[in-house]
Amino acid sequence: MRWDGQKLGDDGTALPGLALAGLVRSVRTPEFAGVTFHEVTCKSALNKVPDASAMPFRWTVNPTRGCLHACTYCFARPTHEYLDLDAGRDFETQIVVKTNVVDVLRAELARPSWRGEHVALGTNTDPYQRVEGRYRFMPGIIEALVHAGTPLSILTKGTLLRRDLALLAEASTHVPVGIGISLAIADETLQQAVEPGTPTPRARLELIRAVREAGLPCGVMVAPVLPWLTDGRAHLDDLLAKLADAGATGVTVLPLHLRGAVKPLFLAWLREHAPALAHRYEALYGRGAYVPHEYSRWLDQRVRPLLVRHGFEGRDRRAFRRQGEGSYPGGSIVADAALPAHEPTIAAAQPVLF
Ligand code: SF4
């Protein structure tokens, strides 16, 4: 790995020379034990989503790479491999920080060619992970987008979002602002095992409440739903009741997908934490990264009446919102972004369902 020869200096800074574009220094700090921040200067802040993508937005901003939330299933993990870091522990502990992201973004938004299209934050790593407390990028990013008349949406699990709610509420008087909270596991023990760096379900429910009290709509990504772990009727019913009670204005429900390096990582986690399920998952995801069509259809049939019971009305197969509530610019935040163009079908690995 290209980082191997790197040493932090006596003052906590690293010697320059890492094979990472724009690297300024690598630092550690006692508040983040075991974590190294690689501070870089970036040349661009706005990332264009490929035209072929199914995502309901064309532009993203990611001030960091890697995520302290450390979700076992995180689909962004393989992006760390582009940096010659691994998708496992490195993704959770080697955090690349774009220190000039706000200045670069301002310059890009000021170009005559910028058309003020919707910009999504939180599509690759979480913009309100604890790193944001140290670097404080988001207020500058929000202000820059608003100044440029650019609608924005934020998807996060981080309760640090509370810090910026007043700013976001003010921003929403100038441009459309969408807020999404990701919460798919109601059971705290399971959540701590699967997403060890994230705020508890209770804290995230309180965050949803706070977003609503700030006068903003708040969609919830009930994703990923984990087969045999969180797809039971009682779990989903309990979670959706809590989301409705907290004031969620919409929900999007998606099953787990396991692309690239995430698949062996998640299967290894299962062997340790739920060994009885490892073979079932191997069968369910045996031919690819996505659940078979049969499972998607089964999950849809299970979830739909529960959503209706809790006041969420279906717009398409997987995105629901409450009657009379606002939604997001560009549709539900990441909604179908995770969907493959074609869901594979298998007969042999038909899941044993509840
Ligand atoms: S919070 Fe999002 S980006 Fe961070 S590890 Fe979890 S899934 Fe990945």
Side-chain angles (χ1 to χ4, degrees):
M1 184 179 84
R2 278 189 243 168
W3 302 96
D4 277 346
Q6 184 59 35
K7 300 240 180 339
L8 294 174
D10 293 341
D11 61 351
T13 63
L15 302 173
L18 290 184
L20 180 65
L23 179 71
V24 176
R25 62 174 189 160
S26 300
V27 293
R28 289 193 185 145
T29 169
E31 310 97 89
F32 293 87
V35 176
T36 304
F37 297 110
H38 301 288
E39 297 180 348
V40 301
T41 53
C42 59
K43 290 190 175 153
S44 67
L46 282 165
N47 310 301
K48 189 161 193 313
V49 177
D51 290 340
S53 168
M55 291 198 185
F57 44 79
R58 298 263 64 84
W59 297 94
T60 65
V61 174
N62 292 294
T64 53
R65 297 181 71 167
C67 189
L68 300 175
H69 283 161
C71 304
T72 313
Y73 53 74
C74 177
F75 67 88
R77 286 179 175 276
T79 61
H80 241 43
E81 293 176 335
Y82 306 146
L83 307 174
D84 259 359
L85 294 164
D86 70 50
R89 194 73 185 131
D90 284 350
F91 179 80
E92 305 161 7
T93 59
Q94 305 292 319
I95 309 297
V96 177
V97 181
K98 301 173 187 174
T99 54
N100 62 338
V101 66
V102 175
D103 290 340
V104 174
L105 178 63
R106 276 200 200 101
E108 290 178 332
L109 294 172
R111 288 178 188 156
S113 57
W114 176 246
R115 292 164 186 247
E117 292 176 75
H118 172 206
V119 171
L121 292 127
T123 59
N124 196 25
T125 56
D126 196 316
Y128 284 103
Q129 57 173 307
R130 284 196 303 131
V131 179
E132 170 62 17
R134 174 179 165 89
Y135 289 94
R136 213 178 162 83
F137 294 129
M138 287 300 286
I141 290 173
I142 295 163
E143 282 160 3
L145 292 169
V146 172
H147 183 72
T150 297
L152 64 135
S153 63
I154 295 170
L155 177 64
T156 184
K157 294 184 174 96
T159 50
L160 188 55
L161 172 69
R162 278 172 180 270
R163 184 198 66 193
D164 293 344
L165 282 178
L167 177 64
L168 286 161
E170 164 64 18
S172 72
T173 65
H174 302 284
V175 297
V177 173
I179 305 291
I181 306 300
S182 181
L183 177 56
I185 306 175
D187 177 85
E188 189 171 328
T189 304
L190 182 61
Q191 172 262 329
Q192 288 291 312
V194 181
E195 310 166 334
T198 58
T200 63
R202 186 189 298 258
R204 277 182 264 171
L205 287 167
E206 288 308 310
L207 178 62
I208 293 165
R209 226 178 278 282
V211 172
R212 299 294 288 126
E213 283 167 5
L216 294 162
C218 186
V220 175
M221 289 296 293
V222 180
V225 174
L226 306 174
W228 299 293
L229 286 170
T230 61
D231 62 0
R233 185 177 284 109
H235 176 270
L236 290 167
D237 193 29
D238 176 53
L239 176 61
L240 292 169
K242 287 173 173 163
L243 295 178
D245 184 59
T249 48
V251 294
T252 299
V253 184
L254 291 171
L256 174 73
H257 62 86
L258 297 170
R259 274 184 290 203
V262 184
K263 190 169 180 177
L265 285 167
F266 193 80
L267 289 174
W269 178 90
L270 271 177
R271 283 184 209 105
E272 185 182 342
H273 294 270
L277 294 181
H279 286 309
R280 286 184 172 190
Y281 271 70
E282 280 165 13
L284 193 63
Y285 292 90
R287 294 201 192 163
Y290 299 93
V291 291
H293 183 61
E294 290 89 339
Y295 180 89
S296 289
R297 201 166 46 218
W298 172 86
L299 181 63
D300 188 57
Q301 286 169 359
R302 165 152 289 184
V303 165
R304 194 167 286 271
L306 299 177
L307 287 161
V308 172
R309 178 192 296 178
H310 296 294
F312 298 102
E313 184 190 356
R315 279 185 300 134
D316 56 40
R317 283 180 56 219
R318 290 178 167 123
F320 294 74
R321 69 168 182 250
R322 297 181 98 177
Q323 270 186 327
E325 299 283 5
S327 190
Y328 303 101
S332 59
I333 289 186
V334 290
D336 293 339
L339 295 179
H342 302 287
E343 290 172 328
T345 58
I346 60 171
Q350 177 83 22
V352 179
L353 304 175
F354 286 84

